[in-house]
Structure formats: C-alpha cells, structure tokens
Amino acid sequence: MMHTRRNFIACMLMALAPWRGATAADAASLPIDFAEFAGGLAQPRGLLFAPDGSLYVAEQLSGEIARIGVDGRLTRIARGFESPHDLELDAAGHLYVADTGAGRIAKIDRAGTVSTFVDELESPVDLAFAPNGELWVCELTGKVRAFASATRSRTVVALKGPHGLAFARNGDTFINDWRGNQVVRLDAKGLLHPFADLAGPVGLSFSPAGELIVAQPQARRITRIGPDGRQQLLAEGLSEPRDPVFDRQGRLYVAETMAGRVLRHAGRW
C-alpha cells in the first residue's frame, strides 16, 4: 500500500514538472507590457513579497530559496529542498517552504536556520495564512488542510488537485483545482461553489482591483477573472507561467518557470 502511494505521489510530481516542449523562441514571445525583472533562476515559482519590498523565490530545480532585494541584488538564502513549490511568511518574519518532494512544510527562521514545521504530507504545493492565523496547505493529492499549529490541523475541503488559493475580504476563499480544470469558491459557511472553468490553473492572486489573476502553465497563459466570473486573457505564449503576485505599487509579477526568470507587468491595476 505504501509503495503504491509513493508511486502515485511520484507520478503527480512528474505531472507538475515543467513541460519540456517549450523552446527559447517560445520564451521570447512576450506581450509588449511584460519585461524581465530577474533572470538566471532554476525553474522559479512560489513568488512572495516581504514587507520590506524584497521578493522571495523558490527554485524548483536546484532546491534553493532566493531573495531579490529592492536594489535588485539576488541572494540565495537556503538550499537542500526537494522540488520546493511555494513560500509564505508569518507575522514574526519566519519563512515557510512547501518542500513538495520531501512531503513537508519547512520553516526558515530569521537567523536562516531551517527546520521542519510539519511533515508526512502528500505533495504540499501551496501555502497561505488565513485571516484567522491558520496556515492553509494545498496537498496536490486532494486535500486543503489548515494548521493552527504543527500538531493541530483540520481538513478544509477535498478536491481533485488543489494548487493555489487566495482569501477574499468577504470571507470567501478561492482555490485552484488543477486536475479539475477549474477555480472554485469556498464560502464563509464552508460550502463549495464552481466559479470558473480554466485549463490547469496553478497559482492565483487578487489584483488591487479585486480581480483574480490565474496562471496556467500548460496552457502557457495568464487569465484575469472578474468578480462575476468573466474571463479575460492577459498574456499567452509564456514558458510555463506560475504564481502571480503583486507588489506594493500594484505591479504584477509572474514566474516564467522554463525561461528561468521573473516577469513584471509594466502597468498597474
């Protein structure tokens, strides 16, 4: 049984791995309003802005965590992870890593010491702190779990393949169902509602205007979804875009995984 379970998780990680069909020419075909912000990264994803304006990046291929300062300087602050997928910060400034290949959530304290916050998870791929302080974790094998502490957790919802979540101000939570090809809405009462059909959504973020920005790596596009569920294509032809995020100035950043870089949208919302 354990052997079968490990094989299943391994297959899921292979499905998550960057699509090898992209070429250098593909990576160059960008919309005019995107520009490279940082390059030379080993399959970046899990973009996260810190309160000081620096940008944290998980490098899936090398197993490292990088920090890009407000001056543009890139520093690798931790290594030794197995296919890290996402990052999150708590109020005390500790960094959490979805260490997907190791089946754990790692914690990097402010001194740079790495420890295990919780382990024995099944392909944890996304992290986000809820308004009540719980750390929500998407396990790609089917569960979204909420951790009040390392020893206290609950299952929030079960989906085909949760991969990204964002909390709305009204108490709703939006979750990508990667394998289900849709974005769903979990209301404040815990009821699940279909919200938008979308091919392979991975990572999502609210824009300053309250729209959802969703990356679709296999479709090689970024889609904007309004509060009414109406979709608008923002960009296509990207080399596996993932994990959109906004800075304090309202600018959109996206990890272009196979091109090894982070893109920045020139405009604002």
Side-chain angles (χ1 to χ4, degrees):
M1 181 68 179
M2 181 60 70
H3 180 70
T4 301
R5 176 179 160 190
R6 287 178 177 172
N7 285 344
F8 174 70
I9 293 175
C11 289
M12 296 292 285
L13 287 174
M14 288 178 64
L16 277 173
W19 179 59
R20 300 291 176 177
T23 67
D26 294 329
S29 61
L30 295 173
I32 193 169
D33 51 0
F34 271 98
E36 181 175 306
F37 173 73
L41 298 163
Q43 296 179 2
R45 61 187 308 156
L47 306 184
L48 174 70
F49 274 103
D52 66 0
S54 59
L55 178 65
Y56 288 102
V57 183
E59 296 185 83
Q60 181 181 354
L61 183 62
S62 65
E64 297 175 301
I65 308 301
R67 178 183 177 274
I68 305 171
V70 293
D71 58 358
R73 182 179 179 182
L74 188 149
T75 306
R76 289 180 170 89
I77 63 169
R79 56 178 47 88
F81 301 99
E82 299 179 33
S83 188
H85 273 54
D86 201 24
L87 304 169
E88 182 62 296
L89 275 168
D90 67 13
H94 303 132
L95 186 65
Y96 294 78
V97 182
D99 196 4
T100 308
R104 67 167 183 163
I105 305 302
K107 180 179 179 180
I108 306 173
D109 67 20
R110 298 181 66 176
T113 302
V114 179
S115 60
T116 295
F117 173 68
V118 63
D119 59 6
E120 297 185 357
L121 301 179
E122 295 184 346
S123 301
V125 288
D126 285 280
L127 308 173
F129 276 105
N132 67 357
E134 291 179 319
L135 180 62
W136 285 33
V137 179
C138 291
E139 293 182 280
L140 194 61
T141 49
K143 294 179 182 179
V144 177
R145 298 173 64 185
F147 288 84
S149 69
T151 57
R152 292 175 53 210
S153 70
R154 61 188 178 92
T155 297
V156 178
V157 68
L159 297 168
K160 291 181 179 179
H163 203 329
L165 52 90
F167 299 101
R169 294 177 181 176
N170 67 352
D172 290 345
T173 304
F174 291 83
I175 307 171
N176 287 333
D177 192 355
W178 174 69
R179 297 182 70 203
N181 293 308
Q182 65 176 335
V183 179
V184 299
R185 178 176 65 88
L186 183 69
D187 67 26
K189 297 179 180 179
L191 300 176
L192 202 61
H193 308 271
F195 182 67
D197 293 327
L198 214 58
V202 174
L204 77 169
S205 178
F206 277 107
S207 76
E211 305 152 319
L212 278 175
I213 309 299
V214 185
Q216 300 168 258
Q218 278 67 47
R220 302 167 61 197
R221 62 177 58 181
I222 303 167
T223 299
R224 173 163 51 191
I225 309 175
D228 59 357
R230 189 170 300 178
Q231 299 180 25
Q232 178 188 6
L233 180 64
L234 284 184
E236 61 182 344
L238 304 182
S239 291
E240 302 224 2
R242 287 180 166 88
D243 302 327
V245 66
F246 286 85
D247 66 11
R248 290 178 295 183
Q249 287 73 44
R251 295 172 296 193
L252 172 64
Y253 294 70
V254 176
E256 195 183 17
T257 305
M258 279 305 290
R261 61 183 178 176
V262 176
L263 303 176
R264 182 171 68 187
H265 189 276
R268 298 182 181 180
W269 264 258

